[in-house]
Amino acid sequence: MEIGKISWQSPSNIAIVKYWGKRDLQIPLNPSLSFTLDRCNTITNLDYKSGNGKINFLYEGQENAAFAIKVIKFIDTLNLEFLSHYDIIIDSVNNFPHSAGIASSASSMSALSLCLTDLERKFRSSEIDFLKTASTRSRMGSGSACRSVYPIAAIWGQFIQNPLSSNNYALDWSNEIHEEFKSLNDWIMIVDKAEKPVSSSAGHTLMINHPYRNARIIQARKNIVELIEALSNGHWDNFIRITEEEALSLHALMMSSSPGYILLEPESLHIIKSIQRLRSETHYPIAFTIDAGPNIHILFPDKYSEFMKSWLKAEYGNYVSHDRIIFDKIGLGPKKLQ
Ligand code: PMV
């Protein structure tokens, strides 16, 4: 009887060039580039023993029917023959504030894919390209998750300037990032922690017949090439311009979908404007980005941390005193815990 446990911690990521719109089996309409985060993680434990393919899913040690259906459907789509020789129990825990309005699909789907791929590695005699396989599988759970398996930064989606780029898995982009950007902080201001009224999945689907679909694909392809250049040369101005253009374009695409919808709150706009004002007054390289939700990510090099703490205390004291900021930064990627 074979019995054991595998455990992986995997982070969330924040896209700078945003993946928005998909076709077929999780194939992105456009290439994307993200930074891997440090603090927002999922830990997934996988207990296995010889058996006949039973899968049990727990969320924070408890049965959770809604999550279990999603996870089992995901594992089914992977069609992993080796799993029929095991009974497994998956237990998943997020170590970032519960229901903070931060999507956990990237960290959870990548943590689970790493565990499954690790189990396969034990079972198979031949070598597999571990991270590439885990990235491909993560993508099937949640597109953006395929970028979470690498340290620092990753790109996903085909574009002609990079013949290695793929729609199936992400590439490790950690060696292409200038030192200037490696101390980047991502402080996430939680404007609203409620679950969003329109899911990312529904948003991706609305891109299929979107009137600006082709223009968006052209914009993202141009932005990824320019961003890659800015990140390798340490050019903050271009980085900030592309980052903010991408965040605003993402939300503009939501507003101009049919039906259109708005995920930003008045408070989100207030924060965006105060960040832009702060930048023009100080000339410090401080930018915002936004995911598919109302929360605002503030990006800046670590050497401005003390300054930013005082600024936030003065301007957004209620966020500081009510734990409505997640102090995250660029991270080193998933860790095998067991
Ligand atoms: O991976 P999904 O299906 O949750 O989509 C994520 C989409 C964005 O977060 C808005 C952009 C991105 O590239 O991560």
Side-chain angles (χ1 to χ4, degrees), residues 15 18-20 105 142-144 147 200 204 250 291-292:
K18 311 285 182 183
Y19 147 54
W20 200 237
S105 59
S142 164
S144 58
R147 299 184 308 239
S200 289
H204 290 301
L250 171 69
D291 245 335

Side-chain angles (χ1 to χ4, degrees), residues 103-122:
S104 58
S105 59
S107 54
S108 59
M109 290 299 170
S110 55
L112 176 54
S113 300
L114 287 157
C115 287
L116 292 170
T117 308
D118 213 356
L119 180 60
E120 181 180 26
R121 191 157 61 172
K122 286 182 193 300

